[in-house]
């Protein structure tokens, strides 16, 4: 069994209002030195078999089809551990 992580983030040119709200709240909560925050999503996909190239290709297809809106988001796929 293998675990594959899919991280999804808004593309750099896309406005991130949630990230901006978090960045504005941090100083009020006593955190300083943060100039920007980008908010994203993380998916953990448990595979029944090994994380070989065929399985990773399937996970990439999952990301493109369901997990990420590729018009406004980028994603990365990596094997955990």
């Amino acid at each position: 069994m293998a675990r594959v992580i899919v991280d999804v983030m808004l593309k750099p040119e896309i406005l991130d209002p949630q990230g901006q709200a978090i960045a504005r709240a941090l100083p009020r909560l006593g955190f300083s030195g943060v100039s920007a925050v980008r908010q994203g999503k993380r998916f953990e996909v448990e595979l029944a078999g090994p994380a070989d190239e065929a399985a990773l290709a399937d996970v990439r297809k999952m990301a493109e089809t369901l997990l990420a809106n590729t018009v406004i988001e980028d994603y990365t796929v990596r094997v955990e551990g």
Side-chain angles (χ1 to χ4, degrees):
M1 184 177 345
R3 177 177 291 171
V4 178
I5 307 301
V6 180
D7 291 310
V8 179
M9 295 292 295
L10 287 170
K11 291 182 177 183
E13 64 272 15
I14 301 297
L15 180 66
D16 182 1
Q18 187 170 1
Q20 290 175 341
I22 293 166
R24 286 191 305 270
L26 290 173
R28 292 192 305 268
L29 297 171
F31 299 99
S32 62
V34 176
S35 60
V37 175
R38 301 283 293 174
Q39 183 269 331
K41 301 178 277 191
R42 172 185 161 124
F43 298 92
E44 297 181 0
V45 180
E46 297 269 342
L47 301 177
D52 57 15
E53 282 307 313
L56 292 176
D58 282 345
V59 173
R60 286 185 196 95
K61 188 162 180 84
M62 288 177 211
E64 290 176 10
T65 304
L66 177 65
L67 305 179
N69 177 348
T70 57
V71 173
I72 62 169
E73 294 174 321
D74 291 325
Y75 68 89
T76 59
V77 174
R78 62 186 166 85
V79 179
E80 186 176 71

